[in-house]
Amino acid sequence: MIEQQQEAVVLVHGLWMKRWTWNAYRRFLTAQGYKVYLFGYKTTQQAFELTLMQLTAFVNSRPEATVHLVVHSMGGILTMRALPKIKKSGKLLMLGSPVNGSRVAQKLQQMGWHTGLLKHATEPLTVGVSMPQVLRPSMMIAGTSPYGLGRFIERRLGPSDGTVGVAETEADWIDQHEKIHSSHFGLLRDKTAMQKTLAFLRQAEQGTAPNK
């Protein structure tokens, strides 16, 4: 009963990342009273459909009734595609997720480098989220500090976090969208991002109007 009453958060990392990249977020959310779970997966070496099934099973098997999803980069695409089969209630907070497809990934594909670098991540990163079914309150936090390897691959990102363009994170199906001065990987330890995440998770669902 206690486990069902406590709210949980599942953290889902992005391309080439590991569960430990969430250490700062894990410590922060745990200190705020959440039960935090880390979902790890092989971002390029495993079929994306298999990862979808694993994430769905992982979230649905948590003992808590409310399970929020806090996701980074490609983890947002993975989570959005899994949502229709996730039975837990909660919110979705995305950090720098290229839901409209990544121009950097598209450029890598054009150059033929995707076969060695992206592999199974090629399709989700180049396509993004094509048929969104959100099914829970959602928010995106995008970075605007353009220091990252992505800008050396694709120079036409426009305003970006150095890897993902702000425009790649914007969609009318996202309830709230905010920008902060952070790089793509800096979002994982940015204190402003953490505070905005906490405020969103604690926000009453019928409260603040969507910021689109």
Side-chain angles (χ1 to χ4, degrees):
M1 182 63 67
I2 294 177
E3 287 182 334
Q4 291 181 341
Q5 291 176 349
Q6 182 183 26
E7 294 185 7
V9 177
V10 171
L11 302 175
V12 184
H13 62 75
L15 180 70
W16 300 324
M17 297 291 100
K18 300 293 182 180
R19 288 179 293 181
W20 63 262
T21 58
W22 282 113
N23 281 349
Y25 249 89
R26 176 183 56 78
R27 289 192 295 268
F28 174 75
L29 291 174
T30 298
Q32 302 303 319
Y34 293 95
K35 175 65 177 179
V36 180
Y37 298 99
L38 303 174
F39 176 76
Y41 62 104
K42 299 177 181 178
T43 62
T44 64
Q45 301 294 330
Q46 177 173 285
F48 202 67
E49 287 299 323
L50 176 57
T51 306
L52 284 173
M53 292 189 290
Q54 291 174 337
L55 174 60
T56 301
F58 185 86
V59 176
N60 287 339
S61 65
R62 299 308 94 187
E64 294 79 13
T66 299
V67 181
H68 304 296
L69 302 167
V70 176
V71 303
H72 179 245
S73 196
M74 188 177 76
I77 299 170
L78 172 66
T79 302
M80 277 299 302
R81 294 192 186 185
L83 273 186
K85 294 185 178 180
I86 289 178
K87 300 176 182 179
K88 297 288 184 175
S89 63
K91 297 182 178 182
L92 170 65
L93 187 286
M94 294 174 281
L95 299 168
S97 293
V99 294
N100 297 321
S102 164
R103 294 189 69 169
V104 172
Q106 292 164 2
K107 186 63 172 291
L108 288 173
Q109 186 178 42
Q110 292 171 8
M111 298 166 64
W113 290 6
H114 64 292
T115 55
L117 294 175
L118 302 179
K119 299 179 183 178
H120 289 288
T122 300
E123 186 275 334
L125 281 175
T126 55
V127 174
V129 180
S130 57
M131 299 179 65
Q133 295 185 54
V134 189
L135 306 176
R136 56 174 60 203
S138 60
M139 179 177 178
M140 176 77 75
I141 299 177
T144 59
S145 179
Y147 298 104
L149 294 175
R151 66 190 180 123
F152 295 105
I153 298 171
E154 174 54 78
R155 298 181 181 276
R156 298 174 298 170
L157 282 178
S160 74
D161 60 15
T163 300
V164 173
V166 172
E168 297 169 6
T169 69
E170 296 174 326
D172 58 8
W173 48 264
I174 300 174
D175 295 325
Q176 300 180 53
H177 188 287
E178 294 199 30
K179 298 183 285 289
I180 64 173
H181 188 71
S182 174
S183 66
H184 189 62
F185 299 108
L187 288 167
L188 291 164
R189 58 183 181 275
D190 189 279
K191 293 182 179 179
T192 299
M194 292 181 198
Q195 290 295 337
K196 288 183 178 294
T197 296
L198 180 64
F200 173 67
L201 295 183
R202 289 180 171 174
Q203 175 182 301
E205 292 189 13
Q206 72 275 18
T208 305
N211 175 25
K212 296 183 180 178

